[in-house]
Amino acid sequence: MPVHGYVGSMINFSIPNDLDIRAARPDQYVAGATGDWEIIVGLEVHAQVSAQSKLFSGASAAYGGAPNAHVSLVDAGMPGMLPVLNRFCVEQAVRTGLGLGAKINLWSRFDRKNYFYPDLPQGYQISQFAYPIVGEGSLNVDCDHGETVPIRIERIHLEQDAGKSIHDLDPNATYVDLNRSGCALMEIVSKPDIRSSEEAANYFKTLRALVRYLGTCDGNMDEGSMRADVNVSVRKPGSPFGTRCEIKNVNSTRYVALAVDYEARRQIEILEDGGTIIQQTRLFDVKTGKTRAMRSKEDAHDYRYFPDPDLLPLVLDQAWVDAIAASLPELPDAKKQRFKSEYGLSAYDASVLVADKDAADFFETAAKGRDAKLVNSWMTVELFGWLNKHDKDLAHSPVSAERLGELVELISHGTITGKIAKDVFARMIETGDAPAIIVEREGLKQETDTGLIEATVEALMAANPDKVEEARTKPKALGWWVGQLMKVTGGKASPAVINEVIKTKLGL
């Protein structure tokens, strides 16, 4: 079987036929001294498989631990040690492929990718070059301007991770930690369909959400569980692909966008000055916001790929694949449509919630049997605002989904006003108490006694005849009356009741 256009990395920028099906929008062009330029981006995302043990050994795949504590003889590359494939890692790769609507290859093969580095004790990496486990698929990416862009997936293959070289413990030595060596990685390779830094960042974010929904990768970028090699080239609109550079190991959506923007501008300046782009591997420096050269980019022949002689071809049973497909959870696209139809959310609000599985689950728990739109508002404005201010994530929220739902229920039933609800919310964070307990304890129930409100309006009318006349000629002047009544009732009066009484008494 032929290998179609794979070079050193798995993204091919050299063949302009079926790969080049997307033109950038004019607003995505980058202006240069000689005219507009188009950015071409493809991502190779390394996602560590969520599994208890490594790809070819029984050693723990857990993050952390003392240096070299999670290392078997296989991981250490000891002579005579034979790899044994982890069935669950294969299942996780298949599950990811199915989530992307990709072709699952029932026959695939592991190859040796030969190169030397101190944290690669075998002297080669076991990967899949010619025959990956997952073929072509697609990922729908919501972009900031409202468009949904389908980004084609070239392939997913399984491979071993390398260890970690540590250079800052000793000025005269490099230390090696092999805990990560042999952990299972899925390399998810897009086609070069991305046309801006914004699209690149949103693709990375969308892919992270998908694997988290599937449970195939935890997406913890701070721990290195998910990182991207970002391939960037530029061209004049309508021209063939240019020479690409690969920016290695970018581990946040923000850095992906910054790296693309800088690298595209760097290449444009070189080309407009009459230079040529050298195909190379680069690193993104988060302190300077710039990329810098790491090494010249290798091609496939530099790695001397050949079938791993210690591993048989991987043959899958279609019934097993079908069983995995039947077990897939509800995925982000389907959940977004359901949130719109079932809860009446806007496309934007639904997209924000489903982008994070924890947020979507929190919302559904809080909204069950309640005003979903009000729950969404309180989540995205009050709760997320507090979490962002205090640098916490939803998993460490001091207010549970059920408690937030109870607070919204008190507002919906007219027990408290929205203004008082904010005070109750603050007390919930401080004390951890249920909202109903706080309202009862502190006497915060909304005042709905129309007799008290009517008497107060009458007293105000008698004392302020000028305000009466003003309200009758200028409806906007009603704000003064509402403010006075709120002041008298300590903010506990029902706004709906106040407005009704005021209009009745003033004859409006």
Side-chain angles (χ1 to χ4, degrees):
M1 295 175 65
V3 179
H4 295 291
Y6 300 124
V7 287
S9 65
M10 292 295 148
I11 296 179
N12 185 352
F13 278 64
S14 61
I15 301 177
N17 47 38
D18 69 309
L19 292 181
D20 190 9
I21 64 169
R22 250 198 101 209
R25 301 189 317 273
D27 63 289
Q28 292 176 314
Y29 292 159
V30 178
T34 61
D36 289 335
W37 294 83
E38 187 178 10
I39 303 175
I40 310 296
V41 181
L43 266 66
E44 304 166 45
V45 175
H46 295 85
Q48 182 172 322
V49 174
S50 290
Q52 293 185 352
S53 54
K54 298 183 179 181
L55 184 56
F56 295 111
S57 82
S60 171
Y63 176 77
N68 297 306
H70 301 161
V71 185
S72 73
L73 296 176
V74 174
D75 307 323
M78 293 298 176
M81 295 299 103
L82 296 176
V84 177
L85 181 60
N86 184 331
R87 178 189 178 95
F88 183 69
C89 292
V90 174
E91 181 180 333
Q92 293 285 65
V94 170
R95 184 173 285 108
T96 303
L98 291 169
L100 288 164
K103 180 180 184 297
I104 306 301
N105 295 321
L106 300 182
W107 191 97
S108 61
R109 188 182 72 194
F110 286 97
D111 303 289
R112 289 187 181 180
K113 180 180 180 180
N114 296 276
Y115 65 96
F116 173 78
Y117 209 69
D119 54 26
L120 191 72
Q122 295 166 306
Y124 58 85
Q125 177 190 40
I126 301 177
S127 182
Q128 293 184 304
F129 174 58
Y131 305 106
I133 188 170
V134 177
E136 295 185 356
S138 181
L139 181 66
N140 290 326
V141 177
D142 291 333
C143 295
D144 296 347
H145 58 278
E147 181 184 4
T148 297
V149 177
I151 304 298
R152 295 175 298 162
I153 303 298
E154 177 72 48
R155 55 186 273 151
I156 302 175
H157 60 269
L158 280 168
E159 64 184 19
Q160 296 171 301
D161 203 351
K164 182 179 181 181
S165 295
I166 305 168
H167 306 289
D168 55 2
L169 293 180
D170 188 317
N172 301 308
T174 291
Y175 290 77
V176 174
D177 181 4
L178 295 180
N179 280 347
R180 201 171 65 188
S181 177
C183 286
L185 294 179
M186 297 178 289
E187 183 165 338
I188 305 168
V189 184
S190 82
K191 293 198 176 186
D193 289 351
I194 298 167
R195 294 294 178 266
S196 71
S197 59
E198 175 224 328
E199 282 185 6
N202 285 336
Y203 168 84
F204 194 34
K205 180 172 66 176
T206 304
L207 183 59
R208 178 177 181 268
L210 178 69
V211 295
R212 283 168 60 85
Y213 268 84
L214 291 165
T216 56
C217 174
D218 61 25
N220 290 332
M221 293 184 280
D222 290 342
E223 297 178 0
S225 296
M226 196 166 182
R227 52 196 190 268
D229 296 342
V230 185
N231 291 266
V232 181
S233 72
V234 298
R235 68 177 180 184
K236 288 291 188 179
S239 300
F241 287 148
T243 301
R244 84 196 184 288
C245 290
E246 181 182 32
I247 308 162
K248 296 289 288 185
N249 294 329
V250 184
N251 69 341
S252 86
T253 53
R254 177 170 172 264
Y255 294 156
V256 165
L258 291 174
V260 170
D261 279 336
Y262 176 81
E263 181 60 22
R265 177 57 62 186
R266 184 189 73 86
Q267 293 184 22
I268 290 169
E269 289 177 358
I270 291 173
L271 293 170
E272 291 190 328
D273 286 343
T276 57
I277 304 301
I278 300 172
Q279 182 176 313
Q280 60 185 191
T281 300
R282 301 179 67 84
L283 292 175
F284 178 69
D285 189 324
V286 299
K287 293 181 180 178
T288 65
K290 300 179 179 180
T291 65
R292 54 183 173 84
M294 182 181 176
R295 61 175 181 266
S296 60
K297 181 61 190 169
E298 297 88 351
D299 283 329
H301 60 79
D302 295 315
Y303 291 115
R304 306 186 311 283
Y305 284 99
F306 64 86
D308 192 301
D310 293 332
L311 290 164
L312 292 171
L314 177 58
V315 180
L316 307 181
D317 181 70
Q318 184 62 54
W320 185 65
V321 174
D322 292 342
I324 297 172
S327 71
L328 293 183
E330 184 181 38
L331 298 179
D333 282 348
K335 191 179 289 289
K336 182 173 71 173
Q337 294 306 317
R338 182 169 64 81
F339 277 16
K340 289 163 59 180
S341 61
E342 185 175 327
Y343 296 112
L345 298 184
S346 68
Y348 173 79
D349 287 340
S351 296
V352 170
L353 289 174
V354 303
D356 184 283
K357 184 177 185 299
D358 292 339
D361 292 344
F362 190 103
F363 167 78
E364 289 224 76
T365 301
K368 189 174 182 180
R370 301 181 176 110
D371 185 334
K373 290 185 178 180
L374 192 55
V375 168
N376 174 65
S377 176
W378 271 85
M379 266 191 71
T380 56
V381 178
E382 302 298 333
L383 181 60
F384 287 177
W386 188 91
L387 292 173
N388 290 336
K389 181 179 179 180
H390 293 84
D391 196 26
K392 292 182 180 293
D393 57 25
L394 197 55
H396 298 92
S397 170
V399 176
S400 69
E402 186 58 40
R403 288 285 188 256
L404 186 69
E406 291 170 4
L407 178 64
V408 168
E409 200 165 354
L410 291 176
I411 302 170
S412 299
H413 290 170
T415 307
I416 58 176
T417 64
K419 180 177 182 299
I420 289 176
K422 293 186 179 183
D423 295 331
V424 175
F425 182 72
R427 303 282 198 285
M428 290 166 65
I429 292 172
E430 292 171 6
T431 66
D433 291 340
I437 291 174
I438 295 171
V439 169
E440 189 66 35
R441 182 177 65 221
E442 302 189 17
L444 298 174
K445 282 187 178 179
Q446 184 167 256
E447 182 60 66
T448 57
D449 181 357
T450 57
L452 173 63
I453 296 172
E454 286 175 355
T456 305
V457 172
E458 290 170 357
L460 286 170
M461 291 175 68
N464 302 277
D466 56 324
K467 293 291 185 181
V468 174
E469 186 60 33
E470 183 183 10
R472 287 171 175 164
T473 57
K474 298 178 181 178
K476 290 184 178 180
L478 286 178
W480 179 85
W481 294 83
V482 173
Q484 292 300 310
L485 282 164
M486 281 296 188
K487 187 184 298 183
V488 170
T489 61
K492 293 188 288 183
S494 165
V497 173
I498 284 178
N499 279 290
E500 183 181 346
V501 171
I502 290 173
K503 289 179 180 179
T504 300
K505 290 293 182 182
L506 294 177
L508 301 177

